[in-house]
Amino acid sequence: MPGASGPPLGSGVIRSVAEDFQVDEVLGFEPDDDGEHVLLHIRKRDTNTQWLAGELARWVGIPPGDVSYAGLKDRHAVTTQWFSLRMTHRSEPDWQTFDNPLIEVLAAHRHRKKLRRGALRGNRFQLRIRALSAEPEAMDVRLAQLRSAGMPNYFGEQRFGHDYQNLDRAAEIFSKHRRRVSRNLRGLVISAVRSQLFNQVLAQRIEQGNWNRPVPGDYYMLEGTRSGFSDEQEEESRLTIRCETQDIHPSGPMWGRGRPLVSAQTAELEQTVLEPFEAWRNGLEHVGLQQERRPLRVRLADLDWSFESGGDLLLSFFLPAGSYATALLRELILVQYPEE
């Protein structure tokens, strides 16, 4: 997938230690302080989200299905994350006695509703890049450019499984003669296929140089919301200004049933790009997903950075729910890991 900012400026190592990759969930709402659920705010290190959910269920004695979370968080990182536990007619334990050196309960609040997937405003990241080979002056320019213009909203490679195996399983999942697979695996494969179709369209628009500006027939997403509108509702000059100020963003397809929300040149572009993926498109429609749109761009207004005396680059930034820090890193460097 092409980058929008030019070739990587060098290479750098991430995740040398868990503290190099820190993520804090931002809920976007206040707990009710009343209700049958308990919202737990937890800091974890080198810990898998799904494993931790199971441990919480076991510790308080509730079914695993009564523990939920808004999203998966990186294992090899230090993250703060919210979990909800259905505790109907149950007294709460002393949360501070949850005995695990890698986990700390920061807060507990009663809440009326179960915490559902995606119920976040976003995530705040603090990343350290070690062994940076890029020139600091060039990196300053690239980062300033991204802060001003935003970044492509690619789905990150972790969406697709190890070596993109989730995409390899698509034919099996969508086949009439498919074998039985777990609900979780089926969901992962469907999400991966849908994400890859979006990435294909975004890549083509980057190649054409119009991923962040109006194209006739576009459907636009409002910054910071899931709402949008078609280009027929505003004049082209006004749409151009709003795109330049990042008040709105052109969007790409999250494939499913129904009439596409785009028309004219945009519809033709997406049809051409996605024509080779007919089996995937039919599969997504068959499982009942509806046509949706996702912004092609992410605003990075609060992106900040500094260089340490040892040459490390420190980054801090906020991303809305569903956007990936790796999409920012790929605009900067060739990412390396300690074991490479």
Side-chain angles (χ1 to χ4, degrees):
M1 298 295 171
S5 309
L9 298 173
S11 62
V13 178
I14 65 171
R15 302 181 192 272
S16 293
V17 294
E19 286 74 14
D20 286 356
F21 205 98
Q22 300 187 35
V23 189
D24 297 307
E25 281 189 346
V26 180
L27 271 182
F29 64 86
E30 294 296 326
D32 298 326
D33 286 323
D34 181 51
E36 66 175 347
H37 299 275
V38 174
L39 284 180
L40 287 184
H41 195 204
I42 291 177
R43 178 183 290 117
K44 61 186 186 66
R45 182 184 190 277
D46 282 331
T47 303
N48 178 279
T49 297
Q50 294 166 316
W51 176 86
L52 177 53
E55 288 297 291
L56 289 171
R58 182 188 61 78
W59 188 59
V60 300
I62 60 176
D66 284 348
V67 179
S68 62
Y69 42 85
L72 298 174
K73 288 291 173 288
D74 300 89
R75 176 179 180 180
H76 301 297
V78 175
T79 66
T80 64
Q81 184 169 7
W82 290 88
F83 291 80
S84 74
L85 289 73
R86 190 167 181 261
M87 301 281 289
T88 309
H89 307 307
R90 288 176 177 268
S91 59
E92 294 184 39
D94 180 357
W95 300 108
Q96 299 305 317
T97 63
F98 186 71
D99 187 21
N100 190 305
L102 300 178
I103 297 164
E104 178 185 3
V105 177
L106 303 175
H109 302 273
R110 283 281 174 171
H111 195 61
R112 294 187 180 94
K113 296 181 179 180
K114 173 182 178 179
L115 184 61
R116 299 192 179 278
R117 289 294 185 98
L120 292 175
R121 188 167 74 86
N123 298 281
R124 182 160 295 281
F125 294 83
Q126 296 184 61
L127 310 185
R128 179 184 293 271
I129 302 174
R130 301 179 187 268
L132 182 68
S133 66
E135 292 294 331
E137 294 80 6
M139 186 63 70
D140 272 327
V141 172
R142 177 68 58 87
L143 286 164
Q145 177 186 351
L146 287 162
R147 182 165 61 187
S148 174
M151 75 174 193
N153 197 19
Y154 280 124
F155 284 98
E157 60 185 26
Q158 58 268 50
R159 185 82 166 189
F160 305 103
H162 181 66
D163 288 336
Y164 285 73
Q165 288 180 352
N166 290 343
L167 294 179
D168 294 335
R169 295 187 175 105
E172 175 185 334
I173 295 295
F174 293 145
S175 169
K176 293 180 181 180
H177 308 291
R178 60 185 178 273
R179 65 181 179 85
R180 198 172 191 86
V181 298
S182 69
R183 182 178 178 181
N184 182 57
L185 176 58
R186 183 172 181 268
L188 290 174
V189 171
I190 290 170
S191 294
V193 168
R194 208 180 192 199
S195 301
Q196 183 65 4
L197 295 182
F198 173 89
N199 277 3
Q200 293 286 342
V201 171
L202 174 53
Q204 182 60 31
R205 291 196 57 159
I206 288 174
E207 293 279 12
Q208 294 185 0
N210 57 28
W211 67 283
N212 56 359
R213 60 181 178 82
V215 168
D218 262 335
Y219 188 88
Y220 298 93
M221 308 297 294
L222 296 166
E223 165 63 23
T225 78
R226 296 183 179 180
S227 300
F229 62 94
S230 66
D231 69 345
E232 299 171 355
Q233 297 174 241
E234 286 197 21
E235 295 181 356
E236 183 179 352
S237 59
R238 175 65 177 162
L239 292 171
T240 299
I241 293 172
R242 295 185 71 183
C243 278
E244 289 175 349
T245 59
Q246 299 188 62
D247 176 46
I248 60 174
H249 309 284
S251 67
M254 298 297 290
W255 197 264
R257 292 178 178 175
R259 183 179 178 182
L261 298 173
V262 294
S263 60
Q265 184 177 331
T266 301
E268 182 179 350
L269 180 149
E270 294 184 3
Q271 182 179 356
T272 300
V273 171
L274 300 182
E275 186 174 2
F277 303 97
E278 181 180 9
W280 284 5
R281 290 185 284 114
N282 290 340
L284 292 173
E285 293 175 22
H286 181 73
V287 300
L289 294 174
Q290 300 297 314
Q291 285 275 345
E292 297 175 321
R293 304 295 292 183
R294 170 183 168 92
L296 296 177
R297 175 176 61 183
V298 178
R299 190 175 187 180
L300 294 170
D302 66 346
L303 174 63
D304 199 9
W305 63 92
S306 62
F307 296 93
E308 293 207 335
S309 56
D312 295 353
L313 172 62
L314 305 182
L315 298 173
S316 66
F317 51 95
F318 174 83
L319 294 179
S323 295
Y324 290 77
T326 50
L328 172 60
L329 292 176
R330 71 191 306 277
E331 294 291 315
L332 303 173
I333 60 169
L334 291 171
V335 173
Q336 297 179 337
Y337 297 91
E339 63 271 23
E340 292 184 353

